[in-house]
Amino acid sequence: MSARTKARKRALDLLYAADMRQLPVEQLLVVEAQKAANEPERQASWLYAREIVDGVVDHRDEIDELITTHSRGWTLERMPAVDRALLRIGVWEIVYNPEVPDAVAIAEAVEAATVLSTDDSAGFVNGLLAAVSHAKG
């Protein structure tokens, strides 16, 4: 597993935990930063995980608006929490991180949805992120 894939998984864990526990993600970031500081093998993935989470937090309203705009028949609140977190990461990478090709961001999110969410989630995540990518131009 690449460092970026591990970072996406760590970011997903943080965003999901904050959502489910109704805690500010910044509170969870402090704990995760301490773990990373004490475990050198976590350093490579920690920096990008932190960049993702900070980016999602900084652009949350715009990201959620894009998800809502391109979601057909699903409100953010109705989506499984894992899908919400995956979509937020994917939209951030597509819209705000030019270093990651859109196809890679989409493929990583779809793979995670296949493993971690419902039977229909991979197709939903794929379609929504492809629409965001296409709309970006």
Side-chain angles (χ1 to χ4, degrees):
M1 183 181 303
S2 76
R4 284 211 168 177
T5 299
K6 287 179 186 176
R8 286 181 188 95
K9 174 70 170 88
R10 292 178 77 183
L12 174 65
D13 291 346
L14 286 164
L15 293 170
Y16 176 81
D19 192 11
M20 294 306 294
R21 295 168 62 194
Q22 297 183 342
L23 294 171
V25 74
E26 296 84 359
Q27 183 178 335
L28 298 177
L29 280 171
V30 171
V31 173
E32 216 30 56
Q34 290 170 342
K35 285 182 188 175
N38 294 325
E39 299 174 35
E41 67 276 2
R42 295 172 73 108
Q43 282 296 330
S45 65
W46 167 244
L47 296 176
Y48 188 56
R50 178 72 191 245
E51 184 180 347
I52 293 169
V53 173
D54 286 343
V56 168
V57 168
D58 291 347
H59 300 285
R60 177 82 170 259
D61 292 340
E62 297 94 339
I63 290 169
D64 284 356
E65 179 61 33
L66 284 167
I67 293 169
T68 300
T69 298
H70 295 286
S71 174
R72 302 212 193 286
W74 287 88
T75 62
L76 266 173
E77 297 76 26
R78 231 180 113 215
M79 292 175 195
V82 171
D83 294 2
R84 252 193 324 268
L86 286 170
L87 289 168
R88 286 174 174 150
I89 292 167
V91 170
W92 177 80
E93 285 190 314
I94 290 167
V95 176
Y96 298 100
N97 188 352
E99 294 176 18
V100 176
D102 292 3
V104 171
I106 294 167
E108 289 277 341
V110 169
E111 176 62 26
T114 300
V115 173
L116 300 171
S117 198
T118 70
D119 290 342
D120 297 327
S121 291
F124 177 71
V125 167
N126 184 57
L128 195 146
L129 293 178
V132 169
S133 175
H134 181 73
K136 179 181 87 166

